Amino acid sequence: MTSVTRRRVKIAFGAVASLVVLSAHIGSPDTWFAGTAGPYPVTVLVRAPGVIPGLADVIVRVTGDGVRAVTASPAAYNAGERGVPPADTARTVPGRPGTWTTQLWIMAPGSYSVRVTVDGSLGSGTAIVPVSAVATRVLTMDRRFGWLLAGLGAILLLGAVSIIGAAARESVLSPGEAPDRRMRIRGRVAMVVGMVVLVAALAGGKAWWNAVDRDYRRSLDRRWAAETSVVTAGNGEPRLRFSIADSVWRGRSWRDRAASPLIPDHGKLMHLFLIREADAGVFAHLHPVSIDSATFETPLPALPGGRYRVFADVTHESGYARTLVAEAELPGTGGTVGTDPDDAWFVGEPSAGAAALARGATLVWEHRPAELRAGADAGLEFTVREPDGSIGAVEPYLGMSGHAVIMREDGKVYVHLHPMGTVSQAAQVALRERRPADTARGALGRRLTESGALAAHPGAHQVLEGRAAFPYAFPEPGDYRIWVQVKRASVVETAAFQVRVN
Amino acid sequence: MRSIARTAVAVLIAAALIAIGLIWDIAWHRSVGRDTFWTPPHMVEYVAAIIVGTSCGWLIIRSTVRGTGLEQEHMVRFWGFRGPLGAWVAVWGSLAMLVSAPFDDWWHNAYGLDVKIVSPPHMLLGAGMTAIIVGAWLMTLAEQNRSAEGSRKFPIVFAVASAILLLMLVTITMEYTALPNLWRGRIFYFVSAAVFPLVLAAAARSGRLRWPATATASIFMLASLVLSWVLQSIPATARLAPINNPVTHLVAAPFPIALIVPAAVFDLLHRAVGPGRDWRLSALLGVGFVVALLAVSWPLSGFLLSPAAQSPVFLAGNWDFSATLGAWRFEYWDTMSGGSRGSVVVAFAKVLLLAALFAAVSSRLGIALGSWMRKVRR
């Protein structure tokens, strides 16, 4: 109901909501999840509340018959069983069979596991949806609404002053007696004094409001400072260095640091994307390794020189997914080898509906909607087609049948998608495996890493059908670039698409 | 004339609903947690505002347009209209409540659902609610002052209105005064001394009953007790995380402050000192208030925190759903600590002395207000 709330605000009070930078994903605050709740395939959309404390809408699409009830509850990552409120029962959406909706009360910012439970003829099952809840919205007061409030406030102020005047002037007179000159002067003096007191109270109220506004803006989720540089390795080849420069992260000790440590997602501590700033014609998906807790490095492939946007996805032990943003100036030279076989890059023009892959195959955007609208299902379904038109095979790439990166061409919207949605798989594991005793920083991360629960699922030998669907809706209109990555014959291949969203 | 009296009673009912709605709403926040536009306590507040708006609005329009001369003689002028002073204050209050609604809604959209109870739109709402209660106070006061000498009807009604005002002030300051755990500490005496003597002194000066302040405090205590007994019998479940105390019923306000004792002292002193010595009277009231409050609250808090009092009758066990229960429930808070027993006693004596000064100032203001109120006829 965020959209409903926003519409209500717009209609009723003419207020304008504006989105500011987000770090969980850039400009794309809603959470999408596709997976299963026990025996039931579900797609879950959690609309970000914008302000916190606030209400997040949950929309659950359940496939299959015999579903009796859908419930949802938000559990703060460290709340434990006792801290979870009673689940809210979702209601069906009229005219959309299989779609259920309810609202979650998110009272504090941070990482949540939203538990969606489906109950039906096949039994009961729960899906864990990691949600990184942050305040992102700054609401400015619409001019008309502001004038309306100011006008009503002025009536209240003048009314209060007039009542004070009437009280001093004639309230103690006998019935029928008219106020004499002395009483009239008394009334005027009382009005002046009352006015001074009330205006002082109003000024105090305004100062108070300013302080609340300042505190709120400070509490907004802000983008962490990050830097890049190109350094030369011992073998003379260039390496890209990515540093988290923010004091929140680089505090003197762990005690000072506001965020929990990082855990690997798909086996990688950081997924770094380079996109050429000028035309988005160059794209690279790299996996820097940590030099220390704030510095990451990767060999630089031979990409064309120029300015690049840098998006680096990391997952915290709390389950909080964060995108770090920076820029890089690349020299135009590169190493001959990358150290990580999962690194991949692409230079070329985008396609509209079908992009060429190696050996004559194509990556086809199936059932591409004729017109894409912001907020509507983006219909991101892709298949690998062999030259004869049959569906080709893929191998798991970082544990998934496909990866997608979506960026609006101005860089203000960015999201990294999997067939399981916008969520980080590591976040889901961390939220599921957390025990009440995991209170020390790093304890859970170490346990999960040692157990192999956060490794990229090996299985190069595994063969999947070449299909990948990504649940998503474009958050805002604009020209978007989509890069889809699949792995075939041990090689990661990238295809680019371009769309206009209205 | 009868229409003014009828409106006064309507506004008094609205004032009572305002206080009940507020206390119910606080219980709701402490037990259910979720706050929406449509909660039952909010409905009570809206009904109260509607009663005021319609009854006073009708009286003002009717009196201005085609009121009898006699009726208009009992009214004050306001922007060309005529109405009783209390009605104007109450109408202002309902308008303030009305204005606070869109402001508060915008506030929630801008800064989040209520994290803090004390916010600018809530202050406006609180000012509106208080104004309705003050309006009822002034309207019943004018009725009392116009009624025949010896008539008891409106003096009692006025005491009820004073009690509602006292209930409102006790509720607004509950964070500092309500829990018996605080009754041997500092802040309880400071806040109580600064706020409550104002109403008690004004009631003692302007009420026409034989024991006006005592009647006011008695009605306040009885109303507070009954309200809490009723509220804690209503089932409720917490709906917001984290739930550290799984409540099963609405969390009611604790046992009320025994203001009946200081109030009786106020009535006695007021009668003993007599007219024309208001400064001396204020000093005596200041000391009398603190001594009487100490004399009753000290032993009463000891009883209320003892095992003997851990029953619903004494409103024990009313703790928020978010509270992590512990031994602190049975301890005294905000007490003087450190040093020898003697130094603690001296430090506490200084607290009481300062509180007596606050109470004297508050009493002086109350007496001045009460002296004006004695004369209010419109």
Side-chain angles (χ1 to χ4, degrees), chain A residues 6-328:
Chain A
R6 249 179 234 152
R7 197 169 46 210
R8 195 186 64 183
V9 170
K10 269 189 181 155
I11 291 170
F13 310 122
V16 181
S18 61
L19 283 165
V20 294
V21 290
L22 299 154
S23 73
H25 281 298
I26 307 302
S28 184
D30 297 345
T31 302
W32 288 87
F33 171 84
T36 55
Y40 308 96
V42 292
T43 305
V44 181
L45 165 61
V46 181
R47 283 197 203 280
V51 293
I52 289 180
L55 296 177
D57 287 300
V58 182
I59 297 135
V60 182
R61 220 157 45 218
V62 190
T63 323
D65 298 326
V67 176
R68 281 193 296 269
V70 175
T71 60
S73 64
Y77 79 95
N78 56 356
E81 283 308 316
R82 209 173 48 169
V84 184
D88 279 286
T89 305
R91 54 189 167 71
T92 52
V93 179
R96 289 168 65 192
T99 305
W100 303 67
T101 184
T102 186
Q103 288 187 316
L104 301 177
W105 293 65
I106 306 282
M107 300 310 285
S111 169
Y112 283 81
S113 85
V114 171
R115 298 174 187 180
V116 176
T117 301
V118 180
D119 191 45
S121 53
L122 301 174
S124 169
T126 299
I128 290 179
V129 182
V131 172
S132 302
V134 285
T136 55
R137 190 174 68 201
V138 175
L139 194 67
T140 52
M141 196 177 277
D142 176 76
R143 196 175 280 260
R144 279 167 304 171
F145 180 56
W147 280 114
L148 178 70
L149 267 192
L152 290 168
I155 291 172
L156 283 177
L157 175 69
L158 296 178
V161 169
S162 300
I163 289 171
I164 291 168
R169 190 176 60 236
E170 46 190 307
S171 68
V172 297
L173 297 178
S174 305
E177 192 183 342
D180 58 11
R181 185 161 173 275
R182 197 176 65 90
M183 294 305 271
R184 283 201 299 272
I185 290 172
R186 210 176 118 164
R188 283 194 200 117
V189 170
M191 285 169 84
V192 170
V193 172
M195 185 63 128
V196 169
V197 170
L198 288 172
V199 167
L202 273 181
K206 180 70 180 115
W208 182 12
W209 186 347
N210 289 346
V212 170
D213 194 70
R214 206 167 45 235
D215 286 351
Y216 174 76
R217 281 168 198 265
R218 276 190 199 137
S219 79
L220 281 176
D221 188 55
R222 67 188 174 79
R223 197 179 278 180
W224 279 10
E227 297 164 353
T228 61
S229 58
V230 177
V231 296
T232 308
N235 62 3
E237 295 195 336
R239 293 172 68 84
L240 181 69
R241 179 176 284 179
F242 185 94
S243 307
I244 304 174
D246 207 282
S247 58
V248 172
W249 186 249
R250 296 183 83 110
R252 262 169 291 169
S253 72
W254 279 109
R255 198 184 288 273
D256 298 335
R257 299 183 192 179
S260 59
L262 305 182
I263 56 171
D265 184 23
H266 306 299
K268 317 285 182 187
L269 216 46
M270 176 177 280
H271 295 259
L272 182 140
F273 298 90
L274 288 167
I275 297 163
R276 187 157 71 186
E277 195 177 293
D279 60 354
V282 184
F283 167 90
H285 177 177
L286 308 175
H287 302 97
V289 294
S290 61
I291 304 299
D292 58 45
S293 66
T295 313
F296 300 79
E297 264 188 34
T298 174
L300 195 57
L303 300 175
R307 284 194 76 75
Y308 282 73
R309 299 184 201 278
V310 183
F311 299 100
D313 289 335
V314 291
T315 302
H316 290 272
E317 189 186 42
S318 62
Y320 191 92
R322 183 182 301 279
T323 299
L324 298 149
V325 182
E327 290 191 329

Side-chain angles (χ1 to χ4, degrees), chain B residues 219-244:
Chain B
I219 298 167
F220 149 72
M221 287 185 70
L222 191 66
S224 183
L225 274 172
V226 170
L227 207 49
S228 286
W229 284 331
V230 171
L231 286 176
Q232 73 173 2
S233 68
I234 299 174
T237 313
R239 307 280 287 155
L240 273 192
I243 301 159
N244 297 316

Side-chain angles (χ1 to χ4, degrees), chain B residues 106-316:
Chain B
W106 182 86
W107 194 270
H108 288 178
N109 280 309
Y111 305 120
L113 304 168
D114 295 335
V115 210
K116 293 177 185 142
I117 303 297
V118 183
S119 70
H122 283 187
M123 286 294 102
L124 182 59
L125 180 66
M129 287 158 64
T130 310
I132 287 178
I133 292 173
V134 169
W137 201 38
L138 292 174
M139 286 189 86
T140 54
L141 170 75
E143 289 299 330
Q144 173 199 263
N145 291 353
R146 283 199 300 261
S147 62
E149 207 59 52
S151 154
R152 284 173 59 85
K153 185 173 147 198
F154 274 100
I156 291 174
V157 171
F158 174 61
V160 171
S162 305
I164 294 173
L165 182 62
L166 198 56
L167 185 59
M168 184 77 179
L169 292 176
V170 167
T171 305
I172 289 172
T173 58
M174 65 177 288
E175 199 179 336
Y176 311 108
T177 58
L179 288 164
N181 310 65
L182 291 162
W183 294 356
R184 296 186 183 186
R186 286 162 282 195
I187 194 90
F188 168 69
Y189 288 95
F190 289 145
V191 174
S192 300
V195 177
F196 306 140
L198 180 85
V199 178
L200 293 179
R205 173 60 56 98
S206 61
R208 280 202 193 160
L209 293 176
R210 190 162 162 69
W211 297 84
T214 314
T216 298
S218 313
I219 298 167
F220 149 72
M221 287 185 70
L222 191 66
S224 183
L225 274 172
V226 170
L227 207 49
S228 286
W229 284 331
V230 171
L231 286 176
Q232 73 173 2
S233 68
I234 299 174
T237 313
R239 307 280 287 155
L240 273 192
I243 301 159
N244 297 316
N245 176 27
V247 296
T248 54
H249 54 81
L250 285 178
V251 175
F255 196 85
I257 308 168
L259 284 175
I260 188 168
V261 178
V265 170
F266 267 46
D267 280 335
L268 282 173
L269 283 172
H270 201 267
R271 225 176 298 158
V273 174
R277 298 179 189 142
D278 287 350
W279 287 101
R280 190 183 306 172
L281 176 61
S282 306
L284 286 173
L285 290 179
V287 174
F289 179 82
V290 171
V291 169
L293 190 65
L294 178 72
V296 66
S297 301
W298 191 280
L300 185 57
S301 64
F303 169 71
L304 288 172
L305 297 187
S306 72
Q310 301 311 306
S311 93
V313 177
F314 298 106
L315 303 165

Side-chain angles (χ1 to χ4, degrees), chain A residues 1 55 93 123 197 204 222-223 245 258-259 282 351 368 376 384 409-410 427 441 449 458 479 485:
Chain A
M1 207 142 91
L55 296 177
V93 179
V197 170
R222 67 188 174 79
R223 197 179 278 180
V282 184
S351 316
R368 180 183 160 156
V384 174
E409 290 188 352
D410 61 1
R441 278 171 190 279
T449 313
D479 289 316
Q485 297 188 294

